Amino acid sequence: MVTTDRDETQAAPAATSLQGPLKRFRIAAFATGIGLLGLCVVMVVRYVFDNPDPSAIYSPIHGVIYMIYLVVAVDLALKARWSVKGTVGVLLAGCVPLLSFYVERKVTQRVTAGRKL
């Protein structure tokens, strides 16, 4: 396929318009992944060492971090015109330890390449 200058200039605004939402998503996905790992540690302390105090403090903090992740991911999904299935998959990735790191990399690659989920 032959590209012209006009094709490149039309594709550029779409890629640059997603840079802000993508950066916010990447930060939120990283924070969610770290937060979920922290929650796992807190749950071990709660159930293995029978100490519920750290869980009572940290669990609501993790909940707020995850809610921010949901809002930022939906914002990116709407702007990048993802499918419902892809959007739900990305949202659920924030519930599985370490999966948000993997999904963040895949989402970044696809959005940068101009492909949809």
Side-chain angles (χ1 to χ4, degrees):
M1 179 177 153
V2 176
T3 60
T4 63
D5 291 336
R6 185 172 17 142
D7 292 338
E8 292 173 7
T9 57
Q10 288 175 349
T16 58
S17 68
L18 293 176
Q19 291 304 311
L22 180 61
K23 186 173 185 175
R24 287 189 294 273
F25 171 77
R26 293 184 71 189
I27 292 168
F30 183 76
T32 300
I34 296 295
L36 193 54
L37 291 175
L39 184 65
C40 291
V41 170
V42 167
M43 289 296 118
V44 168
V45 170
R46 178 182 183 131
Y47 293 110
V48 173
F49 299 107
D50 197 31
N51 183 0
D53 294 335
S55 174
I57 296 168
Y58 187 74
S59 295
I61 295 169
H62 169 69
V64 169
I65 292 170
Y66 183 67
M67 292 300 149
I68 293 169
Y69 171 78
L70 292 178
V71 170
V72 170
V74 168
D75 177 52
L76 179 61
L78 291 173
K79 290 178 180 172
R81 300 183 183 266
W82 293 349
S83 68
V84 172
K85 182 179 172 184
T87 303
V88 170
V90 169
L91 296 178
L92 291 176
C95 298
V96 180
L98 302 176
L99 189 58
S100 67
F101 299 114
Y102 174 77
V103 169
E104 180 269 326
R105 294 303 313 151
K106 289 299 179 186
V107 166
T108 299
Q109 290 171 355
R110 291 186 80 111
V111 169
T112 304
R115 297 181 359 222
K116 297 181 182 180
L117 288 179

